[in-house]
Amino acid sequence: MKVLTLGINGFIGSTLTEKILKDTDWRLFGMDLNSDWIKGHTSHPRLTFQEGDITICKEWIEYHVKKCDVVLPLVAIATPATYVSDPLRVFDLDFAANLEIIKMVVKYKKRIIFPSTSEVYGMCQDSEFKEEGSNLTVGPINKQRWIYSCCKQLLDRVIYAYGIRDGLDYTLFRPFNWIGPRLDSIGKQKEGGSRVLSQFISNILYAGEIKLVDGGKQRRCFTYIDDGICALMKIIENKDDCAKGKIFNIGNPNEEHSIAELAERLLEAAVSVPYLKDRASKTKIVSVPSNDYYGGSYQDTCHRVPSIDNAKRYLNWQPKTGLSEAIKHTLDFYFAGK
Ligand code: UDP
């Protein structure tokens, strides 16, 4: 099998690359702006890596869509702070650039595995979100946070429609707060510049203060990256067409925690990491209004629990890793040996 991954150096792309090269005989082609997370693999005989921007290198992409069996367009901005600070950049990349790729996949009659998102459910009130049953509920236009949700939702609908009209072979997967090594780089990023776990780790390192937006009562189901990648591998393998034309929530419903609990668990784990010990024991947890943290066009979702019936039934998949273990693996990755 020949697999094309756009955004191969990202959180999902780099972890998937490692897994594919280790466990399969597939041929992998990938593009990314950077290669720091996959640098140990770029000379692997089964990987062809091309440094480049998907909005510019269209010929390379078209050539490889034509050459490959399955395409994973993983390039997207997925940080809520950017949805509110630069919504049009999110639109241009997450929507417009990906739409062109989807059209190429349709043109060459290839298979697409598209990263939808748990954000599409927005502020859905269901106790667990079902791929075929739940409403996708977002706020008014002045709440710009939802631009990402809407971009992904519309692409989900476009792919679905191509499936019906043109027989496009597709699978949509919806990650629910995947966490783990390489989620984001743990640098001195600006506030809100990364997903919550990376933000909190960088707060311990550089700020001495973890900020809980609106008190941190909002809840998320944290899913360890290796569990997510295991589901994704089953989707790519697609045994007996089990993933064809389906949508899968990929999340850990057993690990629902408030953001305040996440902060506490992280601090507990960080005090046993030598490099973080002193800083973690001095780090304070404070509450900030979302208006001060993200601005007025932010709106949050108070809970987000996946139904994983589809993934259990069609992929024979379920998550195995708890939050504490996921935090430990993540801290080990960044700080072991430091
Ligand atoms: N959050 C927080 N403090 C931070 C960063 C994020 O309390 O420094 C909250 C954020 O408001 C949201 C949750 O953590 O409710 C998860 O944020 P993330 O950026 O990971 O993305 P989301 O799950 O909202 O897509």
Side-chain angles (χ1 to χ4, degrees):
M1 178 150 52
K2 294 195 193 77
V3 179
L4 173 61
T5 307
L6 303 170
I8 193 169
N9 186 59
F11 173 47
I12 298 178
S14 62
T15 318
L16 182 66
T17 297
E18 219 168 77
K19 186 82 177 160
I20 288 179
L21 295 178
K22 187 169 146 282
D23 289 356
T24 73
D25 60 357
W26 305 341
R27 188 83 177 75
L28 189 53
F29 300 84
M31 172 171 279
D32 205 295
L33 291 168
N34 305 304
S35 58
D36 47 344
W37 291 135
I38 53 161
K39 61 175 180 291
H41 304 297
T42 44
S43 52
H44 193 286
R46 278 188 291 112
L47 171 64
T48 302
F49 172 71
Q50 175 67 43
E51 191 176 296
D53 180 334
I54 62 153
T55 64
I56 298 169
C57 306
K58 296 178 188 177
E59 275 180 29
W60 188 93
I61 295 175
E62 181 153 1
Y63 176 79
H64 285 86
V65 168
K66 203 153 78 175
K67 184 175 171 135
C68 288
D69 304 299
V70 55
V71 181
L72 289 102
L74 302 177
V75 174
I77 292 165
T79 42
T82 316
Y83 314 157
V84 295
S85 67
D86 203 349
L88 291 176
R89 210 177 125 225
V90 174
F91 172 79
D92 286 338
L93 188 67
D94 296 18
F95 183 83
N98 278 288
L99 180 60
E100 287 188 44
I101 292 156
I102 292 165
K103 288 187 170 176
M104 288 179 200
V105 178
V106 174
K107 179 173 164 192
Y108 294 107
K109 300 192 186 314
K110 301 296 174 158
R111 186 169 167 236
I112 189 164
I113 299 175
F114 188 72
S116 177
T117 169
S118 52
E119 276 267 318
V120 294
Y121 297 104
M123 297 175 291
C124 177
Q125 290 301 308
D126 296 355
S127 56
E128 53 167 33
F129 301 162
K130 294 194 166 69
E131 297 91 335
E132 283 83 27
S134 289
N135 287 328
L136 311 179
T137 312
V138 296
I141 301 301
N142 60 10
K143 297 297 179 189
Q144 298 197 83
R145 187 249 165 86
W146 303 114
I147 195 153
Y148 173 71
S149 174
C150 291
C151 287
K152 288 285 190 180
Q153 184 192 149
L154 189 51
L155 291 180
D156 287 1
R157 292 186 187 280
V158 166
I159 290 170
Y160 182 87
Y162 275 126
I164 291 184
R165 195 190 70 180
D166 300 339
L168 173 65
D169 186 349
Y170 71 89
T171 306
L172 306 179
F173 69 99
R174 295 185 172 155
F176 279 64
N177 290 84
W178 290 12
I179 56 171
R182 299 184 286 252
L183 175 59
D184 299 285
S185 44
I186 309 285
K188 269 195 178 172
Q189 318 109 322
K190 83 176 183 328
E191 195 120 274
S194 48
R195 270 84 39 124
V196 62
L197 178 62
S198 325
Q199 183 66 54
F200 285 178
I201 296 172
S202 103
N203 290 148
I204 295 174
L205 278 173
Y206 305 112
E209 196 171 67
I210 284 177
K211 293 183 177 172
L212 300 178
V213 172
D214 292 332
K217 288 198 183 65
Q218 58 279 42
R219 302 174 78 76
R220 296 291 189 273
C221 289
F222 295 99
T223 309
Y224 188 54
I225 181 74
D226 286 7
D227 285 335
I229 293 298
C230 172
L232 201 43
M233 290 297 287
K234 285 170 179 265
I235 291 172
I236 303 173
E237 279 159 16
N238 195 27
K239 198 163 174 262
D240 302 324
D241 273 349
C242 64
K244 186 174 175 159
K246 299 216 170 53
I247 308 176
F248 294 107
N249 290 337
I250 307 296
N252 195 337
N254 305 318
E255 290 291 336
E256 195 200 5
H257 302 277
S258 70
I259 300 303
E261 280 170 53
L262 174 73
E264 283 156 21
R265 292 264 194 117
L266 174 64
L267 280 183
E268 270 166 39
V271 288
S272 44
V273 176
Y275 189 75
L276 294 176
K277 191 171 184 243
D278 287 349
R279 289 175 244 224
S281 56
K282 287 186 197 129
T283 300
K284 294 192 177 57
I285 299 179
V286 299
S287 175
V288 291
S290 56
N291 206 32
D292 294 351
Y293 192 89
Y294 289 110
S297 66
Y298 182 74
Q299 197 170 26
D300 208 345
T301 175
C302 60
H303 74 281
R304 179 190 279 167
V305 181
S307 154
I308 54 167
D309 292 350
N310 275 0
K312 279 184 179 159
R313 179 166 163 205
Y314 298 109
L315 303 176
N316 190 23
W317 173 86
Q318 54 185 337
K320 296 189 185 117
T321 318
L323 177 62
S324 297
E325 205 184 326
I327 290 174
K328 187 179 176 312
H329 291 324
T330 308
L331 294 179
D332 282 351
F333 172 81
Y334 288 110
F335 304 108
K338 272 200 173 183

